[in-house]
C-alpha cells in the first residue's frame, strides 16, 4: 500500500488528488490536507468583488466531495515536512495543525510515501506597509471573503458618487515584485463597467498602477499577436484598452507605503510619487506559505528544501545567470525535488528558476519587475502531470517521473473579464504558446505566433462564463469530470 | 468617436497608442459576429490545450 499526501486543495492540488484517487486502486491512500472547508474558483472572485456574483456562487464544501471520492480529507494546515522521518518515525511525514473538523488547533503527524506540495501563495500583504484589507487601507479580491469586502467598499463608493461626491479609484499591484497583474487588469475593467452601468462613470477618476515596465507585460515579458498584417506587441493592445476606457496608467512602480487615502510609490527612473484614493484594490506580492523542513535529527533544513522566497525547489536550473543567458530548459519538467525524489511541488508552490520578464531595478536598487505568474491552466496541467508520474511510480514501479510539463513547452489560455453581461459584456480572450518564451526555438519574440492570439469581445465573456460553470462542475467530480481538460 | 475625443490628450501616454474606432467597438458586441468568433476562439484554445498536454 502507498500513501500519497497532497498539501493544498486549490487548482493544482485538487486536480492532482482527484485524478490520483481515480487512477489508484483502493489499496492505496490519497490524503488531502488543506485549511479551508471550501473550494474556491478564484477567477470568479473578480465578479464577487464588483457585486455580480455572491460568495456562494464561487465556493463549495469540500468534505462531501472528498467523502464520495474516497479521499482522506484533513481540514488542517501543513506546518513542516520531515523527508527523512524523525526520532520515533522511520517514514517521512508532515506535521499538520487542524483548522476544522472539531479538532481546531490540534497537531498530528501524517506519514507519506509520496508528497505533493500544492500550497499556492501566501498573500504577503505585510511586505508593503498599509497594504490589504486586514491591517491596511486597500481591498483585495484574492480570496472569496476579501472579494465580498471589496464589493461592500465599492458599493459605498458608488453611493457617494450617486450623491454627487467625486471618487478616486486606484487599482493594480501593491509591490515592485508582485505577480497576477491579470487579476488586477480584470478588476479595473469590471469596476469601470459597473460604474458605467450605475450611471456614475463621469464621477470617478480611475488610475492603474503596476510594476510592469510596459503595459501588457503581465509577468511573462509581454507577448505578440498577429493583427492587421503586423506582429504587434501586447503593449499596444493593453494601452489601447486603457486609453479607450479613459484610465491613465502609472507603470514601473513599486508601491512602498499606503496611508489612509494615499499611495506612495517609487518608479524605475528613481522618482517617487503619490496617488490619492477613496477606493483601492492592489494585489499583494506572493511568497511561499512558510512551511519548514527538518532532518531526521530534528535540525532545520528549510533552506535545503525551499528557495529563499518560500517556494519548494524542484528539477529547475537555479544557477544565477544574467537575463541574456536564460534558457527555456532552465524551467522544471517533472516538478520532482532533486534531494527527495518522493516530494513534488505543483502550481504556485514550486520555485521558478528565474523571472520571465526582464529583471529591472530603480537607480536606488529597488527591484521593480513582475514575478512569474502560474495561472490556472498551467497549474492544473502540472498537477495532473505529477499525478500521472506518481501513479506510474506506484503501480508500474517506475523509478523516475514518467510525464513532463515544462512551462516552456506549454501554452496557456486566459480569459480576462472586462464586464459581466450576457449581451453587453466583454473579455480579452488570449492564448500564449509557450508561457515561458523560448528564444532559441522562436527567435525574436520567443513564441509561436500561430498559437499566440488574442481579441476583445463578447465571445470572450461567454467563454469566461462557461469556464466558471465547467470548472466548478469538474471540481465537484460530477459525471464525466475527467473528460474536461485542465 | 466620443471616447477618443474625451479620453485622449495630446502628448499624454494615451496619445501614442491605437484606439478602436466605432466599427471595431460595434463588432465587439455584435451578436452574430461574436457567435462566429466564439466558435473560432474555442477551436484555437482547444488547439493550445492539446499542444500543452504531453
Ligand atoms: C483574483 C484572482 C483571479 C485570477 N484569475 C485567473 C484567471 O482568470 N485565469 C487563470 O488561469 N488564473 C487566474 N488566477 C490564478 C489562479 O487562481 C492560480 O493560478 C491558481 O489558483 C493556482 O493554483 P494553486 O493550486 O497553485 O494555488 P491555490 O489555488 O491558491 O491553492 C492553494 C491551496 O493551498 C492551501 N494552503 C495554503 N496554505 C496551506 C498549508 N500550510 N497547508 C495546506 N494547504 C495550504 C490553500 O488553502 C489552497 O487550498 C487568478 C488569481 C487571482 C488571485
Amino acid at each position: 500500500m502507498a500513501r500519497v499526501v497532497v498539501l493544498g486543495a486549490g487548482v493544482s492540488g485538487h486536480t492532482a488528488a482527484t485524478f490520483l484517487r481515480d487512477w489508484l486502486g483502493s489499496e492505496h491512500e490519497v490524503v488531502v490536507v488543506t485549511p479551508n472547508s471550501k473550494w474556491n474558483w478564484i477567477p470568479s472572485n473578480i465578479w464577487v468583488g464588483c457585486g455580480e456574483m455572491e460568495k456562494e456562487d464561487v465556493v463549495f464544501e469540500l468534505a462531501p466531495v472528498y467523502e464520495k471520492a474516497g479521499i482522506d480529507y484533513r481540514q488542517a494546515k501543513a506546518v513542516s515536512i520531515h523527508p527523512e522521518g524523525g526520532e520515533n518515525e522511520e517514514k517521512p511525514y508532515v506535521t499538520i495543525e487542524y483548522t476544522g473538523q472539531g479538532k481546531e488547533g490540534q497537531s498530528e503527524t501524517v506519514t507519506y510515501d509520496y508528497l505533493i506540495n500544492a500550497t499556492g501563495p501566501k498573500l504577503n500583504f505585510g511586505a508593503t506597509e498599509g497594504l490589504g484589507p486586514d491591517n491596511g487601507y486597500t481591498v483585495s479580491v484574492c480570496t472569496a471573503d476579501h472579494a465580498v469586502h471589496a464589493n461592500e467598499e465599492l458599493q459605498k463608493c458608488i453611493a457617494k458618487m450617486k450623491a454627487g461626491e467625486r471618487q478616486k479609484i486606484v487599482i493594480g499591484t501593491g509591490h515592485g515584485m508582485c505577480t497576477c497583474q491579470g487579476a488586477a487588469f480584470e478588476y479595473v475593467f469590471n469596476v469601470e463597467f459597473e460604474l458605467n452601468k450605475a450611471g456614475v462613470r463621469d464621477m470617478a477618476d480611475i488610475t492603474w498602477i503596476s510594476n510592469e515596465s510596459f503595459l501588457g507585460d503581465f509577468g511573462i515579458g509581454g507577448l505578440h499577436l498577429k493583427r492587421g498584417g503586423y506582429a504587434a506587441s501586447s503593449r499596444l493592445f493593453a494601452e489601447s484598452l486603457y486609453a479607450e476606457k479613459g484610465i491613465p496608467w502609472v507603470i514601473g512602480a513599486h508601491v512602498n507605503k499606503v496611508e489612509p487615502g494615499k499611495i506612495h510609490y517609487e518608479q524605475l527612473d528613481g522618482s517617487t510619487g503619490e496617488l490619492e484614493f477613496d477606493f483601492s484594490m492592489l494585489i499583494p506580492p506572493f511568497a511561499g506559505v512558510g512551511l519548514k523542513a527538518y532532518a531526521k535529527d530534528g535540525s532545520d533544513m528549510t533552506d535545503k528544501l525551499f528557495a529563499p522566497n518560500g517556494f519548494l525547489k524542484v528539477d529547475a536550473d537555479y544557477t544565477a545567470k544574467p537575463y541574456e543567458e536564460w534558457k527555456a530548459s532552465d524551467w522544471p519538467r517533472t516538478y520532482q525535488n532533486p534531494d527527495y525524489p518522493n516530494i513534488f511541488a505543483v502550481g504556485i508552490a514550486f520555485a521558478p528558476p528565474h523571472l520571465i520578464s526582464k529583471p529591472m531595478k530603480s537607480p536606488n536598487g529597488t527591484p521593480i519587475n513582475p514575478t512569474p505568474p502560474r495561472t490556472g491552466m498551467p497549474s492544473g496541467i502540472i498537477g495532473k502531470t505529477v499525478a500521472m508520474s506518481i501513479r506510474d511510480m506506484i503501480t508500474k514501479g517506475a523509478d523516475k517521473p514518467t510525464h513532463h510539463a515544462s512551462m516552456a513547452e506549454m501554452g496557456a489560455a486566459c480569459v480576462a473579464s472586462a464586464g459581466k453581461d450576457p449581451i453587453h459584456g466583454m473579455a480579452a480572450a488570449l492564448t500564449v504558446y509557450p508561457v515561458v518564451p523560448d528564444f532559441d526555438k522562436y527567435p525574436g519574440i520567443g513564441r509561436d505566433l500561430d498559437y499566440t492570439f488574442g481579441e476583445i469581445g463578447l465571445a470572450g465573456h461567454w467563454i469566461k462564463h462557461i469556464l466558471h460553470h465547467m470548472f466548478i462542475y469538474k471540481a465537484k467530480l460530477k459525471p464525466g469530470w475527467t473528460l474536461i481538460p485542465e | 468617436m466620443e471616447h477618443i475625443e474625451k479620453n485622449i490628450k495630446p502628448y499624454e501616454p494615451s496619445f501614442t497608442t491605437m484606439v478602436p474606432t466605432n466599427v471595431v467597438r460595434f463588432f465587439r458586441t455584435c451578436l452574430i459576429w461574436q457567435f462566429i468568433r466564439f466558435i473560432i476562439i474555442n477551436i484555437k484554445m482547444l488547439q493550445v490545450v492539446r499542444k500543452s498536454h504531453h
Side-chain angles (χ1 to χ4, degrees), chain A residues 350-362:
Chain A
F350 80 81
H354 46 63
L355 305 177
I356 302 176
S357 307
K358 188 172 179 173
M360 305 223 177
K361 268 190 183 145
S362 76

Side-chain angles (χ1 to χ4, degrees), chain A residues 121-143 146-147 174-175 178 255-258 280-287:
Chain A
K122 170 185 165 193
L123 303 173
N124 196 11
F125 291 107
T128 311
E129 189 183 336
L131 187 75
D134 296 326
N135 300 307
Y137 312 102
T138 56
V139 302
S140 151
V141 286
C142 292
T143 70
H146 283 172
H175 189 277
C178 281
V255 173
N256 45 30
K257 188 174 168 187
V258 184
S280 176
M281 198 297 292
L282 299 179
I283 298 277
F286 291 172

